Amino acid sequence: MRKKLYMLCGINSERKLIVDLLAIVFGIGSWLGINSVYVQLPLLVNNAPEGWNLPSYLVVIIQLGNIGPLLYTAALRIKSFRDSYLIITLLALGSCAAMTTAFVYDQTVHVFGEERSVPLFITVFCLSLVGCTSSVLFMPYMGRFKGIYLITYLIGEGFSGFVPSIVALIQGVGGNGECRLVNGTDPNEPPQYTSYTPPPRFGTRPYFIVSSVILAISMVAFVLLDRLSVCRREYAAVSIGNGNNYAYEPSTPNDEECRSESEKTSPPMKGSLDRTNYLVMMLLISIMCLFGNGFFPSIQSYSCLPYGNIAYHLTVTLSSMANPAACFLAFFVQRNSIRSIVALSVVFVPFAAYALTTSITSPDPPLMHNVLGDILVVACWTLLVGLVSYIRLAITTLLRCEGGQTLVWVGVASQLGSLVGSILSFTLVNYTDTFEQYYPC
């Protein structure tokens, strides 16, 4: 019965469900901490002293977490060690950082004559160490399993945005800001108004406590994935060297899988991409991460908040759900080609252009105070994030066949693109007049 159900869904019947489940829960812990912060931004920007500029600060701080991959790569050149111990340490750090965020997110420190959300910045940096290092540690670790489990892990990585989005939808955002009269009824005084936003169903503190618990569960899932014999039997036939430096042995199911992918690219050597296609895929994944992880998250508040808190809240939550949806779609797509990846990258352009247009024209973007404008901006951002997620996944699965070290370079290219995008957006948001904040009163 199970095999028939798998065949009906187009899923490999030889896979172990326990490995799939553990890989998904493990993947959830990769970026859950950072995604939790992003999804909570509609509430955080209203109270933080940085206001609408808070996302640009957080994006840069998150990219500082790339010190984790750099230290990891340097450590591999000095000494061999078990990656599993480092993964457990990172997930434990993420759980503790999320718990700390629950109690310090609204605390400020006086720095250079201004109030800044320094405690929040510190905890976000700790969470970013988990996410950034996962690109060169978690994903390559999964590469030692059979190829069918890499997509399963990436689905879990996508759920790292879906899970906090569900919690945020339950939490709500309270409603759109409204102007309220604050001075008396004296006709001789000019009226004074203040912006008021209705409170959500529950606050930011319980939200981050839930995130901390989920990260702890992810850590437990990884321990089981690493130690259970039923999971170890699902390793591919690989020879593992220092850290994640491993290569697939010939005459295995994975070899056939990689061969079927590479045949479409006409490589000079059996089982590998030619140098040009290899570099194109690396460059393309860097560009996708530059916009998807670095640039657009910083300007999202300027694009969406003029349409109201509800539109911003829906944009953040639904776009986070688009990530796992794209990964789940890839679960049923058996093959990816360079041609299809490039075509999807072209489709990405008009959505990126509309998102950029709405942010640049703030505080008066197109179709403001119109239901159609709300629908378009939410749909645009959701599809935009979905396309970025699917393209990244397609490139990753295509390059997986080049061996474990290639997945490390995929992570490096991803983080490098994200870093460039975050620096660019931070400069434009904080040191130019390109983006302007909308004030309802």
Side-chain angles (χ1 to χ4, degrees):
M1 175 65 73
R2 188 179 70 176
K3 289 185 177 181
K4 290 181 179 180
L5 180 61
Y6 282 169
M7 292 177 62
L8 182 64
C9 298
I11 302 175
N12 191 330
S13 61
E14 299 302 320
R15 64 193 316 132
K16 299 293 184 182
L17 285 180
I18 182 64
V19 181
D20 282 315
L21 178 61
L22 292 176
I24 288 175
V25 179
F26 169 46
I28 288 174
S30 59
W31 287 95
L32 182 132
I34 293 303
N35 286 325
S36 296
V37 175
Y38 276 136
V39 173
Q40 199 66 9
L41 279 177
L43 295 178
L44 293 177
V45 296
N46 289 329
N47 300 315
E50 294 79 11
W52 286 22
N53 291 349
L54 179 65
S56 67
Y57 281 89
L58 294 182
V59 167
V60 172
I61 291 171
I62 289 169
Q63 295 312 313
L64 292 178
N66 284 306
I67 191 175
L70 292 176
L71 292 175
Y72 168 73
T73 304
L76 285 180
R77 296 180 178 276
I78 299 173
K79 182 181 179 181
S80 177
F81 56 89
R82 288 192 62 178
D83 292 336
S84 57
Y85 295 150
L86 182 55
I87 293 174
I88 293 172
T89 301
L90 284 173
L91 290 173
L93 173 65
S95 180
C96 294
M99 182 65 71
T100 304
T101 305
F103 296 94
V104 303
Y105 71 92
D106 56 351
Q107 303 297 313
T108 61
V109 175
H110 200 69
V111 180
F112 300 120
E114 295 183 355
E115 292 295 323
R116 295 296 182 193
S117 305
V118 174
L120 176 64
F121 294 162
I122 294 174
T123 58
V124 169
F125 172 74
C126 293
L127 292 172
S128 71
L129 285 175
V130 181
C132 293
T133 310
S134 72
S135 297
V136 297
L137 183 61
F138 293 17
M139 184 171 62
Y141 174 88
M142 289 302 303
R144 67 189 63 189
F145 285 85
K146 295 177 182 177
I148 52 178
Y149 297 111
L150 178 62
I151 292 181
T152 304
Y153 164 81
L154 290 173
I155 290 175
E157 188 176 280
F159 272 107
S160 67
F162 181 83
V163 172
S165 296
I166 291 295
V167 178
L169 283 177
I170 297 172
Q171 178 189 30
V173 74
N176 291 327
E178 56 188 52
C179 293
R180 287 190 171 183
L181 186 66
V182 294
N183 62 338
T185 57
D186 189 347
N188 297 322
E189 293 183 5
Q192 296 180 2
Y193 296 89
T194 186
S195 178
Y196 170 77
T197 302
R201 295 186 182 91
F202 57 87
T204 299
R205 180 168 298 172
Y207 175 87
F208 279 110
I209 291 176
V210 171
S211 298
S212 175
V213 172
I214 296 174
L215 279 164
I217 295 174
S218 179
M219 180 183 65
V220 173
F222 171 76
V223 172
L224 296 176
L225 185 67
D226 186 61
R227 303 296 172 84
L228 290 180
S229 58
V230 66
C231 299
R232 289 177 175 269
R233 286 195 294 267
E234 293 303 297
Y235 280 9
V238 297
S239 56
I240 302 176
N242 187 16
N244 281 316
N245 187 11
Y246 55 85
Y248 298 106
E249 297 176 359
S251 303
T252 67
N254 292 281
D255 187 51
E256 292 182 13
E257 174 189 336
C258 294
R259 197 161 54 240
S260 67
E261 294 292 341
S262 61
E263 284 171 355
K264 299 191 287 290
T265 64
S266 301
M269 295 189 301
K270 182 178 179 181
S272 64
L273 297 175
D274 61 50
R275 183 175 179 83
T276 300
N277 288 329
Y278 184 91
L279 293 177
V280 167
M281 291 298 99
M282 286 292 184
L283 177 62
L284 190 55
I285 198 170
S286 292
I287 293 174
M288 289 295 108
C289 290
L290 185 152
F291 288 106
N293 295 345
F295 187 80
F296 282 125
S298 296
I299 65 173
Q300 192 176 49
S301 57
Y302 292 92
S303 173
C304 302
L305 269 176
Y307 296 96
N309 290 335
I310 294 178
Y312 186 26
H313 178 67
L314 288 175
T315 297
V316 171
T317 52
L318 293 180
S319 59
S320 295
M321 292 180 180
N323 189 317
C327 295
F328 189 73
L329 174 62
F331 189 81
F332 297 96
V333 178
Q334 299 300 318
R335 296 181 180 179
N336 290 298
S337 66
I338 293 177
R339 182 177 300 177
S340 64
I341 292 171
V342 173
L344 287 173
S345 302
V346 174
V347 175
F348 162 83
V349 173
F351 294 102
Y354 186 79
L356 184 60
T357 299
T358 54
S359 58
I360 290 177
T361 55
S362 175
D364 188 23
L367 299 174
M368 187 178 173
H369 305 304
N370 189 307
V371 175
L372 180 60
D374 297 357
I375 295 174
L376 284 177
V377 74
V378 173
C380 173
W381 278 97
T382 303
L383 293 172
L384 181 71
V385 173
L387 281 170
V388 171
S389 301
Y390 186 87
I391 292 170
R392 286 180 57 200
L393 175 67
I395 294 175
T396 301
T397 53
L398 190 66
L399 291 176
R400 172 193 172 273
C401 301
E402 304 302 305
Q405 200 65 17
T406 294
L407 290 181
V408 174
W409 283 113
V410 168
V412 171
S414 300
Q415 295 308 120
L416 182 61
S418 301
L419 176 62
V420 173
S422 65
I423 294 174
L424 176 62
S425 61
F426 182 83
T427 303
L428 291 175
V429 168
N430 293 281
Y431 298 104
T432 70
D433 296 328
T434 306
F435 305 100
E436 296 183 24
Q437 184 170 343
Y438 167 75
Y439 297 96
C441 300

mmCIF file of all heavy atoms in Angstrom, residues 225-260:
data_model
loop_
_atom_site.group_PDB
_atom_site.id
_atom_site.type_symbol
_atom_site.label_atom_id
_atom_site.label_comp_id
_atom_site.label_asym_id
_atom_site.label_seq_id
_atom_site.Cartn_x
_atom_site.Cartn_y
_atom_site.Cartn_z
ATOM 1 N N LEU A 225 19.146 11.928 13.848
ATOM 2 C CA LEU A 225 19.537 11.724 12.451
ATOM 3 C C LEU A 225 20.994 11.287 12.353
ATOM 4 O O LEU A 225 21.362 10.472 11.494
ATOM 5 C CB LEU A 225 19.326 13.022 11.661
ATOM 6 C CG LEU A 225 19.566 12.986 10.149
ATOM 7 C CD1 LEU A 225 18.527 12.119 9.464
ATOM 8 C CD2 LEU A 225 19.531 14.406 9.588
ATOM 9 N N ASP A 226 21.827 11.802 13.237
ATOM 10 C CA ASP A 226 23.251 11.511 13.196
ATOM 11 C C ASP A 226 23.603 10.189 13.869
ATOM 12 O O ASP A 226 24.592 9.543 13.490
ATOM 13 C CB ASP A 226 24.014 12.650 13.882
ATOM 14 C CG ASP A 226 25.513 12.494 13.760
ATOM 15 O OD1 ASP A 226 26.012 12.477 12.618
ATOM 16 O OD2 ASP A 226 26.192 12.382 14.804
ATOM 17 N N ARG A 227 22.787 9.764 14.830
ATOM 18 C CA ARG A 227 23.169 8.600 15.639
ATOM 19 C C ARG A 227 22.380 7.327 15.320
ATOM 20 O O ARG A 227 22.911 6.231 15.526
ATOM 21 C CB ARG A 227 22.987 8.942 17.120
ATOM 22 C CG ARG A 227 23.780 10.157 17.573
ATOM 23 C CD ARG A 227 25.271 9.935 17.473
ATOM 24 N NE ARG A 227 26.038 11.153 17.734
ATOM 25 C CZ ARG A 227 26.369 11.588 18.940
ATOM 26 N NH1 ARG A 227 25.970 10.915 20.014
ATOM 27 N NH2 ARG A 227 27.084 12.689 19.071
ATOM 28 N N LEU A 228 21.149 7.431 14.856
ATOM 29 C CA LEU A 228 20.344 6.234 14.636
ATOM 30 C C LEU A 228 20.902 5.403 13.484
ATOM 31 O O LEU A 228 21.247 5.931 12.421
ATOM 32 C CB LEU A 228 18.891 6.612 14.341
ATOM 33 C CG LEU A 228 18.071 7.191 15.505
ATOM 34 C CD1 LEU A 228 16.657 7.511 15.043
ATOM 35 C CD2 LEU A 228 18.034 6.219 16.682
ATOM 36 N N SER A 229 20.956 4.092 13.687
ATOM 37 C CA SER A 229 21.496 3.206 12.649
ATOM 38 C C SER A 229 20.616 3.186 11.401
ATOM 39 O O SER A 229 21.118 3.059 10.282
ATOM 40 C CB SER A 229 21.645 1.786 13.203
ATOM 41 O OG SER A 229 20.388 1.297 13.677
ATOM 42 N N VAL A 230 19.298 3.325 11.581
ATOM 43 C CA VAL A 230 18.405 3.337 10.424
ATOM 44 C C VAL A 230 18.688 4.535 9.532
ATOM 45 O O VAL A 230 18.505 4.468 8.302
ATOM 46 C CB VAL A 230 16.927 3.334 10.887
ATOM 47 C CG1 VAL A 230 16.582 4.636 11.614
ATOM 48 C CG2 VAL A 230 15.991 3.134 9.694
ATOM 49 N N CYS A 231 19.159 5.603 10.110
ATOM 50 C CA CYS A 231 19.522 6.787 9.326
ATOM 51 C C CYS A 231 20.876 6.606 8.648
ATOM 52 O O CYS A 231 21.051 6.980 7.481
ATOM 53 C CB CYS A 231 19.545 8.026 10.213
ATOM 54 S SG CYS A 231 17.965 8.435 10.978
ATOM 55 N N ARG A 232 21.822 6.004 9.349
ATOM 56 C CA ARG A 232 23.141 5.800 8.778
ATOM 57 C C ARG A 232 23.101 4.854 7.575
ATOM 58 O O ARG A 232 23.930 4.961 6.660
ATOM 59 C CB ARG A 232 24.101 5.250 9.832
ATOM 60 C CG ARG A 232 24.482 6.271 10.904
ATOM 61 C CD ARG A 232 25.380 5.649 11.954
ATOM 62 N NE ARG A 232 25.841 6.652 12.900
ATOM 63 C CZ ARG A 232 26.959 7.352 12.764
ATOM 64 N NH1 ARG A 232 27.717 7.161 11.704
ATOM 65 N NH2 ARG A 232 27.319 8.237 13.673
ATOM 66 N N ARG A 233 22.147 3.949 7.579
ATOM 67 C CA ARG A 233 22.018 3.033 6.442
ATOM 68 C C ARG A 233 21.548 3.740 5.176
ATOM 69 O O ARG A 233 21.609 3.167 4.092
ATOM 70 C CB ARG A 233 21.053 1.895 6.792
ATOM 71 C CG ARG A 233 21.643 0.870 7.752
ATOM 72 C CD ARG A 233 20.824 -0.401 7.773
ATOM 73 N NE ARG A 233 19.493 -0.198 8.315
ATOM 74 C CZ ARG A 233 19.164 -0.366 9.596
ATOM 75 N NH1 ARG A 233 20.100 -0.733 10.462
ATOM 76 N NH2 ARG A 233 17.928 -0.174 10.016
ATOM 77 N N GLU A 234 21.073 4.982 5.320
ATOM 78 C CA GLU A 234 20.618 5.743 4.163
ATOM 79 C C GLU A 234 21.710 6.641 3.593
ATOM 80 O O GLU A 234 21.437 7.466 2.727
ATOM 81 C CB GLU A 234 19.396 6.595 4.547
ATOM 82 C CG GLU A 234 18.160 5.784 4.871
ATOM 83 C CD GLU A 234 17.753 4.884 3.716
ATOM 84 O OE1 GLU A 234 17.419 5.422 2.647
ATOM 85 O OE2 GLU A 234 17.781 3.646 3.890
ATOM 86 N N TYR A 235 22.946 6.488 4.071
ATOM 87 C CA TYR A 235 24.055 7.209 3.471
ATOM 88 C C TYR A 235 24.247 6.751 2.027
ATOM 89 O O TYR A 235 24.030 5.585 1.696
ATOM 90 C CB TYR A 235 25.360 6.958 4.237
ATOM 91 C CG TYR A 235 25.527 7.771 5.508
ATOM 92 C CD1 TYR A 235 24.487 8.536 6.025
ATOM 93 C CD2 TYR A 235 26.728 7.767 6.192
ATOM 94 C CE1 TYR A 235 24.649 9.277 7.182
ATOM 95 C CE2 TYR A 235 26.901 8.505 7.365
ATOM 96 C CZ TYR A 235 25.856 9.252 7.847
ATOM 97 O OH TYR A 235 26.013 9.993 9.003
ATOM 98 N N ALA A 236 24.667 7.680 1.185
ATOM 99 C CA ALA A 236 25.068 7.303 -0.165
ATOM 100 C C ALA A 236 26.440 6.638 -0.092
ATOM 101 O O ALA A 236 27.121 6.678 0.939
ATOM 102 C CB ALA A 236 25.123 8.539 -1.064
ATOM 103 N N ALA A 237 26.851 5.995 -1.182
ATOM 104 C CA ALA A 237 28.184 5.394 -1.228
ATOM 105 C C ALA A 237 29.191 6.509 -1.463
ATOM 106 O O ALA A 237 29.435 6.926 -2.594
ATOM 107 C CB ALA A 237 28.255 4.362 -2.341
ATOM 108 N N VAL A 238 29.730 7.034 -0.369
ATOM 109 C CA VAL A 238 30.652 8.168 -0.463
ATOM 110 C C VAL A 238 31.919 7.863 0.310
ATOM 111 O O VAL A 238 31.931 7.059 1.243
ATOM 112 C CB VAL A 238 30.018 9.460 0.108
ATOM 113 C CG1 VAL A 238 28.809 9.867 -0.698
ATOM 114 C CG2 VAL A 238 29.649 9.287 1.587
ATOM 115 N N SER A 239 32.986 8.507 -0.109
ATOM 116 C CA SER A 239 34.225 8.487 0.664
ATOM 117 C C SER A 239 34.370 9.855 1.307
ATOM 118 O O SER A 239 34.466 10.876 0.613
ATOM 119 C CB SER A 239 35.420 8.189 -0.251
ATOM 120 O OG SER A 239 35.482 9.117 -1.312
ATOM 121 N N ILE A 240 34.347 9.897 2.649
ATOM 122 C CA ILE A 240 34.326 11.157 3.389
ATOM 123 C C ILE A 240 35.730 11.491 3.855
ATOM 124 O O ILE A 240 36.399 10.684 4.494
ATOM 125 C CB ILE A 240 33.369 11.064 4.593
ATOM 126 C CG1 ILE A 240 31.956 10.706 4.116
ATOM 127 C CG2 ILE A 240 33.342 12.368 5.372
ATOM 128 C CD1 ILE A 240 30.969 10.495 5.224
ATOM 129 N N GLY A 241 36.169 12.712 3.532
ATOM 130 C CA GLY A 241 37.478 13.181 3.958
ATOM 131 C C GLY A 241 37.360 14.131 5.119
ATOM 132 O O GLY A 241 36.534 13.947 6.026
ATOM 133 N N ASN A 242 38.148 15.199 5.096
ATOM 134 C CA ASN A 242 38.153 16.180 6.168
ATOM 135 C C ASN A 242 36.884 17.010 6.115
ATOM 136 O O ASN A 242 36.561 17.606 5.091
ATOM 137 C CB ASN A 242 39.376 17.088 6.021
ATOM 138 C CG ASN A 242 39.538 18.028 7.207
ATOM 139 O OD1 ASN A 242 38.934 17.817 8.247
ATOM 140 N ND2 ASN A 242 40.356 19.050 7.037
ATOM 141 N N GLY A 243 36.162 17.066 7.228
ATOM 142 C CA GLY A 243 34.925 17.847 7.283
ATOM 143 C C GLY A 243 33.913 17.336 6.285
ATOM 144 O O GLY A 243 33.576 16.154 6.279
ATOM 145 N N ASN A 244 33.430 18.228 5.406
ATOM 146 C CA ASN A 244 32.457 17.856 4.397
ATOM 147 C C ASN A 244 33.092 17.612 3.034
ATOM 148 O O ASN A 244 32.426 17.670 2.003
ATOM 149 C CB ASN A 244 31.398 18.965 4.262
ATOM 150 C CG ASN A 244 30.376 18.879 5.369
ATOM 151 O OD1 ASN A 244 29.914 17.801 5.700
ATOM 152 N ND2 ASN A 244 30.042 20.010 5.965
ATOM 153 N N ASN A 245 34.383 17.329 3.010
ATOM 154 C CA ASN A 245 35.054 17.060 1.752
ATOM 155 C C ASN A 245 34.898 15.581 1.422
ATOM 156 O O ASN A 245 35.620 14.733 1.934
ATOM 157 C CB ASN A 245 36.533 17.432 1.856
ATOM 158 C CG ASN A 245 37.241 17.317 0.516
ATOM 159 O OD1 ASN A 245 36.601 17.160 -0.521
ATOM 160 N ND2 ASN A 245 38.570 17.379 0.556
ATOM 161 N N TYR A 246 33.921 15.256 0.574
ATOM 162 C CA TYR A 246 33.676 13.871 0.213
ATOM 163 C C TYR A 246 33.300 13.799 -1.258
ATOM 164 O O TYR A 246 32.933 14.782 -1.888
ATOM 165 C CB TYR A 246 32.568 13.261 1.079
ATOM 166 C CG TYR A 246 31.269 14.018 1.079
ATOM 167 C CD1 TYR A 246 30.316 13.806 0.094
ATOM 168 C CD2 TYR A 246 30.987 14.952 2.068
ATOM 169 C CE1 TYR A 246 29.123 14.502 0.094
ATOM 170 C CE2 TYR A 246 29.803 15.651 2.073
ATOM 171 C CZ TYR A 246 28.875 15.416 1.084
ATOM 172 O OH TYR A 246 27.689 16.113 1.090
ATOM 173 N N ALA A 247 33.414 12.601 -1.814
ATOM 174 C CA ALA A 247 33.089 12.384 -3.229
ATOM 175 C C ALA A 247 32.286 11.110 -3.345
ATOM 176 O O ALA A 247 32.483 10.144 -2.591
ATOM 177 C CB ALA A 247 34.367 12.291 -4.064
ATOM 178 N N TYR A 248 31.355 11.081 -4.292
ATOM 179 C CA TYR A 248 30.526 9.909 -4.507
ATOM 180 C C TYR A 248 31.308 8.837 -5.250
ATOM 181 O O TYR A 248 32.042 9.120 -6.198
ATOM 182 C CB TYR A 248 29.266 10.282 -5.297
ATOM 183 C CG TYR A 248 28.397 11.254 -4.569
ATOM 184 C CD1 TYR A 248 28.336 12.589 -4.965
ATOM 185 C CD2 TYR A 248 27.650 10.859 -3.471
ATOM 186 C CE1 TYR A 248 27.556 13.497 -4.280
ATOM 187 C CE2 TYR A 248 26.860 11.760 -2.786
ATOM 188 C CZ TYR A 248 26.814 13.077 -3.194
ATOM 189 O OH TYR A 248 26.040 13.980 -2.522
ATOM 190 N N GLU A 249 31.145 7.613 -4.791
ATOM 191 C CA GLU A 249 31.799 6.501 -5.460
ATOM 192 C C GLU A 249 30.990 6.094 -6.681
ATOM 193 O O GLU A 249 29.776 6.285 -6.734
ATOM 194 C CB GLU A 249 31.925 5.321 -4.477
ATOM 195 C CG GLU A 249 32.815 5.653 -3.281
ATOM 196 C CD GLU A 249 32.850 4.531 -2.270
ATOM 197 O OE1 GLU A 249 32.158 3.516 -2.516
ATOM 198 O OE2 GLU A 249 33.545 4.663 -1.258
ATOM 199 N N PRO A 250 31.627 5.531 -7.695
ATOM 200 C CA PRO A 250 30.905 5.147 -8.907
ATOM 201 C C PRO A 250 29.996 3.956 -8.683
ATOM 202 O O PRO A 250 30.069 3.274 -7.657
ATOM 203 C CB PRO A 250 32.037 4.801 -9.879
ATOM 204 C CG PRO A 250 33.178 4.399 -8.995
ATOM 205 C CD PRO A 250 33.060 5.258 -7.767
ATOM 206 N N SER A 251 29.132 3.713 -9.657
ATOM 207 C CA SER A 251 28.223 2.562 -9.666
ATOM 208 C C SER A 251 27.254 2.580 -8.507
ATOM 209 O O SER A 251 27.048 1.587 -7.817
ATOM 210 C CB SER A 251 29.020 1.244 -9.644
ATOM 211 O OG SER A 251 29.909 1.189 -10.737
ATOM 212 N N THR A 252 26.691 3.733 -8.222
ATOM 213 C CA THR A 252 25.686 3.857 -7.182
ATOM 214 C C THR A 252 24.458 4.513 -7.767
ATOM 215 O O THR A 252 24.514 5.130 -8.832
ATOM 216 C CB THR A 252 26.192 4.726 -6.015
ATOM 217 O OG1 THR A 252 26.339 6.067 -6.491
ATOM 218 C CG2 THR A 252 27.520 4.221 -5.490
ATOM 219 N N PRO A 253 23.284 4.406 -7.078
ATOM 220 C CA PRO A 253 22.094 5.105 -7.548
ATOM 221 C C PRO A 253 22.329 6.591 -7.696
ATOM 222 O O PRO A 253 21.802 7.241 -8.582
ATOM 223 C CB PRO A 253 21.058 4.797 -6.456
ATOM 224 C CG PRO A 253 21.512 3.509 -5.871
ATOM 225 C CD PRO A 253 23.006 3.553 -5.924
ATOM 226 N N ASN A 254 23.161 7.159 -6.810
ATOM 227 C CA ASN A 254 23.429 8.585 -6.896
ATOM 228 C C ASN A 254 24.220 8.919 -8.149
ATOM 229 O O ASN A 254 24.071 9.969 -8.741
ATOM 230 C CB ASN A 254 24.201 9.039 -5.652
ATOM 231 C CG ASN A 254 23.344 8.954 -4.414
ATOM 232 O OD1 ASN A 254 22.529 9.821 -4.172
ATOM 233 N ND2 ASN A 254 23.509 7.892 -3.632
ATOM 234 N N ASP A 255 25.093 7.975 -8.566
ATOM 235 C CA ASP A 255 25.864 8.202 -9.776
ATOM 236 C C ASP A 255 24.943 8.273 -10.986
ATOM 237 O O ASP A 255 25.114 9.100 -11.874
ATOM 238 C CB ASP A 255 26.884 7.078 -9.939
ATOM 239 C CG ASP A 255 27.845 7.316 -11.088
ATOM 240 O OD1 ASP A 255 28.432 8.412 -11.135
ATOM 241 O OD2 ASP A 255 27.990 6.422 -11.938
ATOM 242 N N GLU A 256 23.940 7.388 -11.017
ATOM 243 C CA GLU A 256 22.980 7.422 -12.112
ATOM 244 C C GLU A 256 22.170 8.706 -12.090
ATOM 245 O O GLU A 256 21.899 9.313 -13.115
ATOM 246 C CB GLU A 256 22.035 6.216 -12.015
ATOM 247 C CG GLU A 256 22.727 4.886 -12.283
ATOM 248 C CD GLU A 256 21.736 3.746 -12.232
ATOM 249 O OE1 GLU A 256 20.517 4.028 -12.231
ATOM 250 O OE2 GLU A 256 22.165 2.586 -12.194
ATOM 251 N N GLU A 257 21.788 9.101 -10.892
ATOM 252 C CA GLU A 257 21.013 10.339 -10.751
ATOM 253 C C GLU A 257 21.802 11.532 -11.259
ATOM 254 O O GLU A 257 21.294 12.373 -11.996
ATOM 255 C CB GLU A 257 20.660 10.527 -9.274
ATOM 256 C CG GLU A 257 19.975 11.840 -8.965
ATOM 257 C CD GLU A 257 19.856 12.058 -7.482
ATOM 258 O OE1 GLU A 257 19.863 11.081 -6.732
ATOM 259 O OE2 GLU A 257 19.770 13.234 -7.068
ATOM 260 N N CYS A 258 23.075 11.607 -10.882
ATOM 261 C CA CYS A 258 23.907 12.720 -11.319
ATOM 262 C C CYS A 258 24.167 12.657 -12.806
ATOM 263 O O CYS A 258 24.234 13.677 -13.480
ATOM 264 C CB CYS A 258 25.239 12.716 -10.562
ATOM 265 S SG CYS A 258 25.062 13.050 -8.798
ATOM 266 N N ARG A 259 24.291 11.428 -13.326
ATOM 267 C CA ARG A 259 24.542 11.289 -14.742
ATOM 268 C C ARG A 259 23.352 11.764 -15.550
ATOM 269 O O ARG A 259 23.489 12.427 -16.575
ATOM 270 C CB ARG A 259 24.868 9.827 -15.048
ATOM 271 C CG ARG A 259 25.536 9.627 -16.377
ATOM 272 C CD ARG A 259 26.248 8.283 -16.452
ATOM 273 N NE ARG A 259 25.367 7.184 -16.122
ATOM 274 C CZ ARG A 259 25.577 6.354 -15.125
ATOM 275 N NH1 ARG A 259 26.616 6.518 -14.337
ATOM 276 N NH2 ARG A 259 24.751 5.355 -14.886
ATOM 277 N N SER A 260 22.139 11.477 -15.072
ATOM 278 C CA SER A 260 20.946 11.901 -15.798
ATOM 279 C C SER A 260 20.817 13.405 -15.805
ATOM 280 O O SER A 260 20.310 13.990 -16.755
ATOM 281 C CB SER A 260 19.697 11.279 -15.163
ATOM 282 O OG SER A 260 19.488 11.796 -13.880
#
